[in-house]
Amino acid sequence: MHPDTIITIGRQFGSGARSIAKQLARSLNIPYYDRELIVLAAQKSGLDENLLKHREEKPCNPLCTASWYAPFCCNSELQFGQKVFLAQFNTIRELSEKGGCVIVGRCADFVLAKRPHVVRVFLHAPLETRVRRIMERLNLDENQARRIIRETEKNRAAYYDFFTDRKWGATETYDLCVNTDGLSEDDVVRTIRLYAQARCPNA
């Protein structure tokens, strides 16, 4: 695999993506970025870290359909949402210049669309599987798990669609889509590694 390969991980909530991405990064001995991006973006942009955490991967306004590069909106909430996105956008671009890494979410597949040696992965699983995982992971009942999955994915989809002018979860947006149901984390990591090696060979 090319040493500068970056693997972006899009995911459905409850697909096991965070743990898989961490294991993938460890196996490749490259940096892993998920929530760490918030801290870095706050440091570089001067925005409050707590505000970034509150607004990350949430849409500016569910009624607004303009993409991130549309004329700057006069609404203060939209303005701040754009600032949050651009802070993470710039941070991802800067990190990509340092070499290979694994990045979870944050529209990284879009941000790095024109960069060579990028593998865009989307992890998904059947709803019932994800409900069981969230119930176990967060100690919730079934109704609570379904609600948090529904709300989280609604926000992620609206955020992604708003800022990228693409469709979240659409297969054509990604290089590799993996159903994690019935597979061990090792299986998924192995699958991604094999694909990345074929996609970005070390010529």
Side-chain angles (χ1 to χ4, degrees), residues 26-44:
R26 284 196 300 268
S27 73
L28 293 171
N29 195 30
I30 58 178
Y32 159 87
Y33 299 105
D34 185 357
R35 292 170 179 163
E36 295 82 358
L37 277 170
I38 303 171
V39 177
L40 292 172
Q43 292 172 347
K44 292 178 182 296

Side-chain angles (χ1 to χ4, degrees), residues 55 58-66 75 77-78 158 162:
R55 287 305 307 270
K58 292 179 181 177
C60 292
N61 187 324
L63 299 179
C64 184
T65 58
N75 182 284
E77 181 185 355
L78 291 175
F162 177 88

Side-chain angles (χ1 to χ4, degrees), residues 19 34 39 47 70 78 123 129 141-142 145 148 167 176 185 188:
S19 181
D34 185 357
V39 177
L47 294 173
L78 291 175
L123 301 182
T129 298
D141 64 32
E142 182 177 344
I148 193 172
K167 184 69 175 177
L176 176 68
E185 289 186 359
V188 179

Side-chain angles (χ1 to χ4, degrees), residues 42-141:
Q43 292 172 347
K44 292 178 182 296
S45 67
L47 294 173
D48 184 87
E49 183 179 331
N50 290 324
L51 290 176
L52 277 171
K53 288 179 180 179
H54 177 70
R55 287 305 307 270
E56 66 140 1
E57 290 195 296
K58 292 179 181 177
C60 292
N61 187 324
L63 299 179
C64 184
T65 58
S67 55
W68 74 275
Y69 48 81
F72 209 66
C73 181
C74 62
N75 182 284
S76 60
E77 181 185 355
L78 291 175
Q79 289 178 4
F80 183 71
Q82 289 179 325
K83 288 181 181 179
V84 170
F85 174 79
L86 289 172
Q88 294 192 86
F89 180 102
N90 291 330
T91 300
I92 290 170
R93 290 288 295 272
E94 289 181 20
L95 291 173
S96 74
E97 298 300 320
K98 297 181 179 181
C101 61
V102 175
I103 303 176
V104 177
R106 282 84 189 173
C107 303
D109 59 293
F110 170 78
V111 174
L112 302 176
K114 296 183 179 180
R115 185 193 185 281
H117 314 304
V118 174
V119 179
R120 301 161 187 85
V121 178
F122 190 82
L123 301 182
H124 61 99
L127 176 60
E128 296 308 316
T129 298
R130 293 185 286 123
V131 168
R132 289 196 299 272
R133 286 175 176 169
I134 295 303
M135 289 173 65
E136 294 173 2
R137 194 177 89 194
L138 302 181
N139 192 29
L140 301 175
D141 64 32

